[in-house]
Amino acid sequence: MAPMTAKASPRIVVLTGAGISRESGLATFREPGGVWDRVNLEDVATPEAFRRDPDFVHSFYNARRAQLTDGSVRPNAAHTALARLARERHGEVLVITQNIDDLHDRAGQDPLIHMHGELLRAICTACRERRAWHGELTTETPCPACGTAGTLRPDVVWFGEMPLDVERILAALHACETFVAVGTSAAVQPAASFVHEARSAGARCVEVNLEPSEATPAFHDARHGPATELVPTFVAELLGERG
C-alpha cells in the first residue's frame, strides 16, 4: 500500500494498547501480574528466542491464540465505540493498534493498522508467505505455500524488528487534527513518540488510560479510568452528541 498523503490522511488518529483489551479478559504486559511478570520477553518475543527454542515460543503463542479463539474473549464497549466513530465520521478516523489480538477487527474497525502484526496470522521465514492462521503452530508444521517444515512463525513484530506501516503512520500523525492514545503505557518506541509527532504538527492530544502514563505530561487532556466507560463518552463528544 502506498504511503498515506497529507490530503488523504484522517483527521483523527487513535493509538490503542493492551489496556483497551484488558476489560475483554486479555492480560496487559507491564502491569503487576501481567504477561512479562509470568514469562521473560527475551524467551518468547525476539527472533533469537525463536531460533534458540522454537518449541517454547510456539507453545506461548499457541496458548494465546487458543484463548483468543475459544469464544471467551470478545470486543468490549471501547472497541465498538471506536468502530462507531470511524463509521460515522466517514473515514476521517484511523486506528493504529499495538495489540496483536483481533478485537478491533471483530468490532468492525476500518481503517485499522496492526503495527505489531497479528496473532491470528503466520509468516514463513523461508518464502515470506503470510496467511491467516487460527490453529496451532509447531516445528513440524509445513508451510502451505512452499512445503518447508519448521519455518512458520507467528506473524507478529518481535523486539528488534521493525513495526509495520511506519511511513503511513507518520504521515497520518503529521496531518491529523486530534491524536488519542487509549490504554497504552507509552513505554515502547516508536509508539512512545507518536504523541510528540502529532503535537509538533499542531494536533490536540488526548490520553485515555486507566492511570497516568509516562507520557501523560505530553498530552493536552488526560482522562483516567476504565476504557469501557471513558472511550464511549469521548466518542460521543467527538460526534457532537450531548448527554
Side-chain angles (χ1 to χ4, degrees), residues 108-128:
Q109 193 69 55
D110 183 36
L112 172 66
I113 295 176
H114 279 277
M115 65 176 291
H116 290 161
E118 301 177 59
L119 181 60
L120 299 184
R121 296 186 67 82
I123 183 172
C124 177
T125 58
C127 70
R128 308 308 296 175

Side-chain angles (χ1 to χ4, degrees), residues 89-198:
R89 286 184 65 93
H90 307 293
E92 294 184 1
V93 179
L94 173 66
V95 170
I96 303 159
T97 187
Q98 300 172 86
N99 301 335
I100 60 174
D101 64 57
D102 68 338
L103 298 182
H104 280 302
D105 306 81
R106 281 194 258 164
Q109 193 69 55
D110 183 36
L112 172 66
I113 295 176
H114 279 277
M115 65 176 291
H116 290 161
E118 301 177 59
L119 181 60
L120 299 184
R121 296 186 67 82
I123 183 172
C124 177
T125 58
C127 70
R128 308 308 296 175
E129 172 79 3
R130 285 183 157 99
R131 61 180 60 232
W133 200 279
H134 288 218
E136 289 197 345
L137 285 172
T138 73
T139 53
E140 304 300 320
T141 307
C143 170
C146 69
T148 309
T151 56
L152 290 175
R153 54 161 276 190
D155 192 10
V156 300
V157 176
W158 285 329
F159 287 92
E161 296 179 330
M162 180 64 68
L164 306 177
D165 289 322
V166 173
E167 289 186 6
R168 182 184 176 200
I169 291 169
L170 290 176
L173 291 171
H174 293 162
C176 71
E177 295 175 336
T178 303
F179 171 72
V180 187
V182 179
T184 177
S185 64
V188 178
Q189 293 291 355
S193 67
F194 288 179
V195 61
H196 305 287
E197 296 282 351

